[in-house]
Amino acid sequence: MRQRLSSEPDRYRGRRRVPTPPRSRYAAVVTTAFVGAGFVALGAAALPDAKTVDPSALADLDRAAASQDLADRAADADRASRDDRSATTAGQEAADVWLLPLQDYQFTSPYGMRWGQLHAGVDLAAPEGTPYKAVADGTVKLAQYYGGYGYAVIVDHGNGVETIYGHSQKVLVKAGQQVKAGDTLGLVGNTGHSYGSHLHLEVHVNGEPRDPIPWFRDRQADIKLQVDSIFAGVTAQ
């Protein structure tokens, strides 16, 4: 190698040489690059290509989707059927409901012995002229003046059950008329053997009087507490 004379200009003065990496580090960098490229190639090969999917597999997916759709429709139809059955059951219960004959009254006298005689019903005090209603569906058996009951209405509810509404100021139905629970029958009064304006209510089963208090409680209504059936809003006219 020729030795540079001191009088000779230095061509590299003012420049910085890029150091040559050691052979071991250079080999590691090159190896890493090749390995990374290999992984990328493998990953790309692993990705599914829609154009290479087996047509029979697509057909199986379509059949599975169709089967699921049919199952969902069947489940919806079953739910709708159950809802219809529930509505029918509720309608049947509402048809058998018993309501209070008045909405605002004072309970004044229970069923039982009074003055040595059986008081065969309950007395519900209300202003004269207050409308009272049928407690259940039935047929009007009597609507006229009826001895000590004064002007009265008797409704036949079938199966031997009847209700009597006494001491009316006026009756508003006729014998033979069909009535629904909540239909107006007459006006509260003070006729017959009565001491003050009130409605006298009796329940008879096969001709025998029954205490209206437990009778109505068994039918989700409470005369003493003035609690009406849950179906009162549905059936009341």
Side-chain angles (χ1 to χ4, degrees):
M1 181 177 177
R2 186 175 68 84
Q3 185 176 5
R4 181 176 60 84
L5 298 178
S6 60
S7 60
E8 224 175 283
D10 187 355
R11 292 177 299 173
Y12 299 101
R13 181 175 297 174
R15 299 182 182 180
R16 298 183 63 185
R17 293 184 180 181
V18 177
T20 302
R23 290 182 178 278
S24 60
R25 184 179 302 174
Y26 178 78
V29 171
V30 173
T31 303
T32 303
F34 276 108
V35 172
F39 276 118
V40 171
L42 289 174
L47 292 175
D49 186 353
K51 291 181 292 186
T52 61
V53 174
D54 187 356
S56 64
L58 290 176
D60 289 340
L61 290 174
D62 289 339
R63 283 193 294 270
S67 298
Q68 184 62 42
D69 182 60
L70 289 175
D72 291 342
R73 291 184 182 182
D76 291 340
D78 182 61
R79 281 193 294 270
S81 177
R82 288 198 301 268
D83 292 342
D84 290 342
R85 289 195 297 271
S86 297
T88 300
T89 301
Q92 291 173 347
E93 292 176 352
D96 296 333
V97 70
W98 281 56
L99 307 179
L100 299 180
L102 295 167
Q103 293 301 315
D104 189 12
Y105 58 85
Q106 182 179 358
F107 183 86
T108 56
S109 185
Y111 174 95
M113 297 303 295
R114 186 175 67 177
W115 304 323
Q117 295 182 346
L118 176 65
H119 182 242
V122 293
D123 291 342
L124 312 176
E128 194 164 355
T130 301
Y132 63 84
K133 301 179 179 182
V135 297
D137 296 356
T139 303
V140 177
K141 181 178 178 179
L142 178 146
Q144 62 184 48
Y145 198 90
Y146 191 50
Y149 290 97
Y151 286 104
V153 176
I154 300 177
V155 178
D156 182 357
H157 303 286
N159 298 319
V161 181
E162 295 179 349
T163 50
I164 301 176
Y165 310 77
H167 309 309
S168 305
Q169 179 192 67
K170 184 178 182 181
V171 296
L172 302 177
V173 290
K174 297 180 180 180
Q177 182 176 335
Q178 298 291 320
V179 294
K180 295 289 186 180
D183 286 351
T184 299
L185 299 179
L187 306 179
V188 173
N190 189 28
T191 59
H193 298 165
S194 174
Y195 301 92
S197 177
H198 71 283
L199 174 68
H200 175 82
L201 175 66
E202 295 185 12
V203 176
H204 289 211
V205 178
N206 297 323
E208 296 294 328
R210 299 288 182 88
D211 187 346
I213 300 299
W215 179 272
F216 275 80
R217 283 177 180 164
D218 289 343
R219 289 153 182 81
Q220 291 76 50
D222 195 310
I223 293 177
K224 293 189 73 173
L225 298 179
Q226 298 190 34
V227 176
D228 219 334
S229 166
I230 60 173
F231 292 108
V234 177
T235 59
Q237 301 298 319

